[in-house]
Amino acid sequence: MTAPIQAIRPKRTIDDLAIFGGPKLFDRPRPIGQLDLPDEEKFFAYARKIYESGCITNNGPLVQTLERQLCELHQVDHCVALANASLGLILLMEALADGRRGEVIMPAFTYPGLPHLAQWAGQYPRFCDVDPETHTLAPNAVEAAIGVETTAILAVHQVNSPCLIDELQAIGDAHGVPLFFDSVHGIHCTYNGRPLGSFGRAEIFSLHATKLLNGFEGGYATTNDGALADTLRMKRNFGIDRSGSVATLGLNAKLNEAHAALALSALDDQEQIIRRNRERVEAYHRHFAQIPSLVWIPYRGTRMNYEFALLCVDPQWPLGRDVIVSVMREENALARPYYSPPLHLSSHCPPGMVPPHLPVTERLARGIIQMPVGELVNEADIMALAELMAFLFSHAPEVTSRLSRQ
Amino acid sequence: MTAPIQAIRPKRTIDDLAIFGGPKLFDRPRPIGQLDLPDEEKFFAYARKIYESGCITNNGPLVQTLERQLCELHQVDHCVALANASLGLILLMEALADGRRGEVIMPAFTYPGLPHLAQWAGQYPRFCDVDPETHTLAPNAVEAAIGVETTAILAVHQVNSPCLIDELQAIGDAHGVPLFFDSVHGIHCTYNGRPLGSFGRAEIFSLHATKLLNGFEGGYATTNDGALADTLRMKRNFGIDRSGSVATLGLNAKLNEAHAALALSALDDQEQIIRRNRERVEAYHRHFAQIPSLVWIPYRGTRMNYEFALLCVDPQWPLGRDVIVSVMREENALARPYYSPPLHLSSHCPPGMVPPHLPVTERLARGIIQMPVGELVNEADIMALAELMAFLFSHAPEVTSRLSRQ
């Protein structure tokens, strides 16, 4: 982490808080995305190859190189590069449903969008509760929800833990229901020592700029199922097979050479990014250690990417989670309530659905703050945030009182 | 058009034809796409701005600049940049259907893919015949097909002619059915002197590398309907509105800064590309003039972009259209049967649909060859193709006889 380059203005009285009109703690926003741009010259060197080959899209040489390197990274047989991860999830759900309209089991404690993706694939979301330790799909909840209408189980690896893969796979196998993974937060992570990417029927990863491996936008599917990989290759290209005939429902979901150029440039930097991510998370732990009733969500798994710093605020903390987030955002620290509201209680829930009661999900969604991280946040920023939190802890009654009058 | 840089090998006997084992007419393929890569340094200058701004996607500054310039180009109020034109068509059909599952009226004499796009939007394609002059949706066929189940009319501008817009709009208005346009081939074209882009409820354009305006991949919607533009902006970003709530079904269909950088670099070159396209089409007319029973599909409209050279082979020509195409492709001239088979008789037709009889479409689909064009084809290539066709005309019985023995 580099030295601070922007002024940080500590708080002495509550008038100094930006929410009460004081100067912002940070001149410029401190976001929550990874936002690492790969080395400019390395990207430009790859981009010049596009001009040399004259091949721009439609499974060009850089896309093919990227797919090969990602197969190695994930120790998996097939990688299918895609325009983005959302399209990958839609195509995969549609492929696994095999013409049926049914339900896809998914967690509600995850990022917005998943229920819509199921709908585009002609499926209906079926929300299940999560495990209190890993925050991933709870096997007993999946077992209770699975039925003849289930077309797939969509398990989402969390940043703090991979899914309970063996248990979920056993349930899927017992019921003959395909299991697949949203692995957007799982790149470079392992489960029982094996890289994520070859579990279930397939896994879907992201190349979005806010993610670890930055390809501007983009995504990819990994699988050891050759027939499924072929199907996804056809679906990303209007459903057209090698002979030029239409063999399956498709659209345009191709990754082009520019995205592949940036992603290839980014691949070399991954170890360093993860090291800096870990340093950032450890700096949070260190500098926040003296503030009572705050717990950092621990990382589980043998190898993780430390993409997020997730702060759990105890209900006995003198200010509520959402108040803390509002105060921080005014200071240009773009913290967010983490996965809150959960999907089943949000506007992403399909109209007319009676939301299930998901106690673990609902408890988790009340208490966690996603703290600023990524390449635009350094240790001085984290120290300043710790000071801000300590200040809020000791001035909570004053803050509450002033807020109630605003 | 520049001088030939690759060997052209004329044919003296039918043994010289590549289909019979002779050397290929062209060393390297002569394709049918535009494939103009904008000036490298101009692109790199825009791409460096991405590094300067640190903004990569999610409605970045280059995308906003591109949208403004496209509004000017099309003389339209709103432009919504999208990851590709297919996604634009899906989102627009879904938006116009407003939650209904119904039929979208569309031509069958067009490029593959449209029926699938309707299906992703929860709609069913309803194929209508085309007008024999413009090759676009025939108003009387639309009038006959429209009904309570119609959610939209999707008219496709042809490269040789814009749609019969006024007549289609009158039918849409009379029935209260929205009309919109696939304008992938309509960039820089006019209808009654007004640029395409502001007709119907919206128009969808492409930024694919094979199209006039090359943004690697990408597309955009244009409309004078501010509410519809807002809806499309939400739909391209997971359905999220300005307040951060989900207001409509959405997915990730954002254009990113790399695409915008290439498209901006390409915008300046458009007049020159169109001039070269026109020279190429005129060269085809000139060099093919002496060969009997061949007609070039004329360009209609006050201003056109001359993207394609479409050769109509009379049924009395001594070789069939598909034989000519096979011979040419073996010579590395990547000609194609144009829109053949038509969609209603192809594997793109939804399973179970009884194909309608569309006589004009079926006649057109039997006779037209899409000839090699774009920046990889020069006048010497066209002369060589004319010589090849003259050779085929005079050696047709020998060719037919040899083919029947192969």
Side-chain angles (χ1 to χ4, degrees):
Chain A
M1 288 184 283
T2 52
I5 51 160
Q6 286 148 9
I8 294 173
R9 309 182 190 87
K11 310 294 175 185
R12 287 177 186 83
T13 75
I14 69 162
D15 293 324
D16 292 336
L17 291 172
I19 204 166
F20 300 135
K24 288 179 186 297
L25 186 62
F26 302 115
D27 293 12
R28 297 217 307 204
R30 300 300 194 269
I32 53 166
Q34 191 74 56
L35 297 169
D36 177 70
L37 258 173
D39 178 72
E40 187 167 348
E41 296 315 319
K42 199 183 281 182
F43 165 61
F44 278 45
Y46 275 113
R48 288 204 191 273
K49 286 180 200 279
I50 303 174
Y51 273 83
E52 284 164 25
S53 75
C55 184
I56 300 170
T57 182
N58 295 4
N59 204 22
L62 294 180
V63 162
Q64 290 179 39
T65 302
L66 179 67
E67 288 180 343
R68 278 194 299 274
Q69 294 196 14
L70 291 171
C71 280
E72 276 183 40
L73 182 74
H74 293 288
Q75 295 175 28
V76 68
D77 291 345
H78 307 281
C79 171
V80 182
L82 298 160
N84 60 55
S86 297
L87 290 175
L89 291 164
I90 293 173
L91 296 181
L92 188 53
M93 279 188 267
E94 195 275 334
L96 294 177
D98 200 23
R100 292 170 59 206
R101 290 189 171 272
E103 288 183 355
V104 175
I105 288 176
M106 60 177 68
F109 188 64
T110 183
Y111 65 93
L114 279 190
H116 283 195
L117 302 184
Q119 288 170 262
W120 288 110
Q123 309 303 308
Y124 202 72
R126 174 73 181 257
F127 296 117
C128 281
D129 211 353
V130 294
D131 169 76
E133 299 300 318
T134 64
H135 305 176
T136 62
L137 268 185
N140 60 347
V142 173
E143 181 74 58
I146 209 162
V148 288
E149 66 289 349
T150 313
T151 56
I153 304 164
L154 162 49
V156 183
H157 298 304
Q158 292 282 19
V159 79
N160 54 297
S161 172
C163 292
L164 299 163
I165 297 178
D166 290 343
E167 294 86 335
L168 293 174
Q169 189 64 62
I171 296 169
D173 289 346
H175 293 267
V177 170
L179 166 70
F180 71 102
F181 296 95
D182 180 322
S183 305
V184 159
H185 292 300
I187 190 165
H188 298 286
C189 300
T190 59
Y191 174 80
N192 288 346
R194 190 171 125 201
L196 298 182
S198 60
F199 294 98
R201 287 292 297 279
E203 303 196 42
I204 302 287
F205 293 87
S206 171
L207 298 171
H208 191 269
T210 56
K211 301 301 184 301
L212 207 68
L213 184 56
N214 179 357
F216 294 116
E217 288 259 2
Y220 57 94
T222 56
T223 181
N224 280 332
D225 180 336
L228 184 59
D230 283 346
T231 298
L232 292 174
R233 284 183 193 283
M234 291 188 280
K235 286 189 177 290
R236 76 173 172 183
N237 188 30
F238 300 108
I240 297 168
D241 67 13
R242 289 196 180 93
S243 77
S245 304
V246 174
T248 182
L249 188 70
L251 44 68
N252 179 1
K254 298 187 293 280
L255 192 76
N256 63 56
E257 294 289 281
H259 297 242
L262 197 70
L264 283 167
S265 316
L267 264 175
D268 291 345
D269 305 335
Q270 300 287 293
E271 289 299 327
Q272 286 168 26
I273 295 174
I274 293 171
R275 181 178 52 71
R276 290 196 294 270
N277 282 354
R278 185 172 191 161
E279 285 171 7
R280 235 173 258 117
V281 166
E282 288 171 353
Y284 268 118
H285 292 194
R286 205 161 54 242
H287 294 295
F288 277 62
Q290 303 308 315
I291 309 169
S293 302
L294 295 178
V295 176
W296 293 94
I297 303 290
Y299 276 89
R300 297 166 185 280
T302 41
R303 184 191 148 91
M304 304 299 287
N305 63 32
Y306 303 95
E307 250 189 310
F308 289 167
L310 300 174
L311 183 62
C312 194
V313 182
D314 195 283
Q316 64 184 282
W317 222 76
L319 293 174
R321 190 267 313 262
D322 293 348
V323 172
I324 299 170
V325 168
S326 300
V327 168
M328 282 205 287
R329 292 185 70 87
E330 290 294 324
E331 304 290 351
N332 253 338
L334 303 185
R336 274 210 302 219
Y338 187 60
Y339 297 157
S340 176
L343 298 185
H344 67 303
L345 302 178
S346 80
S347 50
H348 288 269
C349 195
M353 178 190 266
V354 179
H357 177 48
L358 307 175
V360 180
T361 294
E362 289 160 31
R363 178 175 59 74
L364 290 171
R366 276 193 295 271
I368 304 175
I369 301 177
Q370 185 176 359
M371 296 293 283
V373 289
E375 298 294 321
L376 303 184
V377 174
N378 62 31
E379 184 160 0
D381 298 337
I382 291 168
M383 289 172 64
L385 286 167
E387 284 173 27
L388 176 67
M389 282 295 280
F391 179 88
L392 290 177
F393 185 78
S394 55
H395 294 74
E398 280 176 87
V399 170
T400 304
S401 161
R402 173 82 72 97
L403 281 174
S404 70
R405 279 180 282 130
Q406 276 194 342
Chain B
M1 288 185 284
T2 52
I5 50 162
Q6 287 149 9
I8 293 173
R9 308 182 190 88
K11 309 295 175 186
R12 287 180 185 82
T13 74
I14 70 163
D15 293 325
D16 292 337
L17 291 172
I19 203 166
F20 301 133
K24 287 180 187 297
L25 185 63
F26 302 116
D27 293 12
R28 297 216 308 203
R30 300 299 194 271
I32 52 166
Q34 191 74 57
L35 297 168
D36 178 69
L37 259 172
D39 178 72
E40 188 166 349
E41 296 316 317
K42 199 184 281 184
F43 165 62
F44 278 60
Y46 275 114
R48 288 203 193 274
K49 286 181 199 279
I50 303 174
Y51 273 83
E52 284 164 24
S53 74
C55 184
I56 300 170
T57 183
N58 295 4
N59 204 22
L62 294 180
V63 163
Q64 291 179 40
T65 302
L66 178 66
E67 288 179 343
R68 277 193 300 274
Q69 294 195 15
L70 291 171
C71 279
E72 275 182 43
L73 181 74
H74 293 288
Q75 296 177 27
V76 67
D77 291 346
H78 307 281
C79 171
V80 183
L82 297 160
N84 60 55
S86 297
L87 291 174
L89 290 165
I90 294 173
L91 296 181
L92 188 53
M93 279 189 268
E94 195 276 333
L96 295 176
D98 200 22
R100 292 169 60 205
R101 289 188 172 272
E103 288 183 354
V104 174
I105 288 175
M106 61 176 68
F109 188 64
T110 184
Y111 65 93
L114 279 190
H116 283 195
L117 303 184
Q119 287 169 264
W120 287 111
Q123 310 302 309
Y124 203 72
R126 174 74 181 257
F127 296 117
C128 281
D129 211 351
V130 294
D131 170 75
E133 300 300 318
T134 64
H135 306 176
T136 64
L137 267 185
N140 60 346
V142 173
E143 181 73 58
I146 207 163
V148 289
E149 65 290 348
T150 313
T151 56
I153 304 165
L154 162 47
V156 182
H157 298 303
Q158 292 281 19
V159 78
N160 55 296
S161 172
C163 293
L164 299 164
I165 298 178
D166 289 343
E167 293 87 335
L168 294 175
Q169 189 64 62
I171 296 169
D173 289 346
H175 293 269
V177 170
L179 166 70
F180 72 101
F181 296 95
D182 180 322
S183 305
V184 158
H185 292 301
I187 191 165
H188 298 286
C189 301
T190 59
Y191 174 81
N192 289 345
R194 191 171 124 202
L196 298 182
S198 61
F199 293 97
R201 287 292 298 279
E203 302 196 44
I204 302 289
F205 294 86
S206 171
L207 298 172
H208 191 269
T210 57
K211 301 301 184 301
L212 207 70
L213 185 56
N214 179 356
F216 295 115
E217 288 257 2
Y220 57 95
T222 56
T223 180
N224 280 332
D225 179 336
L228 184 59
D230 283 348
T231 298
L232 291 174
R233 284 183 193 284
M234 292 189 280
K235 286 190 178 288
R236 76 172 171 183
N237 187 30
F238 300 107
I240 296 168
D241 67 12
R242 289 196 179 92
S243 76
S245 303
V246 174
T248 182
L249 188 70
L251 45 69
N252 180 2
K254 297 187 293 280
L255 192 76
N256 64 57
E257 294 289 280
H259 296 243
L262 198 70
L264 283 166
S265 316
L267 263 176
D268 291 344
D269 304 335
Q270 300 287 293
E271 289 299 327
Q272 287 167 27
I273 295 174
I274 292 171
R275 182 177 52 70
R276 289 195 295 270
N277 283 352
R278 185 172 191 160
E279 285 171 7
R280 236 174 257 118
V281 166
E282 288 171 352
Y284 268 117
H285 292 195
R286 206 161 51 242
H287 294 296
F288 277 62
Q290 303 309 315
I291 310 170
S293 301
L294 295 178
V295 176
W296 293 95
I297 303 290
Y299 275 90
R300 297 166 185 280
T302 40
R303 186 192 147 89
M304 303 299 287
N305 62 34
Y306 303 95
E307 251 189 309
F308 290 166
L310 300 174
L311 182 63
C312 195
V313 182
D314 194 283
Q316 63 186 280
W317 221 76
L319 293 175
R321 189 268 313 262
D322 293 349
V323 171
I324 299 170
V325 168
S326 300
V327 169
M328 283 205 286
R329 293 184 70 87
E330 289 295 324
E331 303 291 351
N332 253 337
L334 303 185
R336 273 210 303 219
Y338 188 59
Y339 297 157
S340 175
L343 298 185
H344 67 302
L345 302 178
S346 80
S347 51
H348 288 268
C349 194
M353 178 189 266
V354 179
H357 177 47
L358 306 176
V360 179
T361 295
E362 289 160 31
R363 178 174 59 74
L364 291 171
R366 276 192 295 271
I368 304 175
I369 302 177
Q370 186 176 357
M371 296 293 283
V373 289
E375 298 294 321
L376 302 184
V377 174
N378 62 31
E379 185 162 359
D381 298 338
I382 292 169
M383 288 171 66
L385 286 168
E387 283 172 27
L388 175 66
M389 282 295 280
F391 179 89
L392 290 176
F393 185 79
S394 54
H395 294 73
E398 281 176 86
V399 170
T400 304
S401 161
R402 174 83 70 96
L403 280 174
S404 70
R405 280 180 281 132
Q406 275 195 341

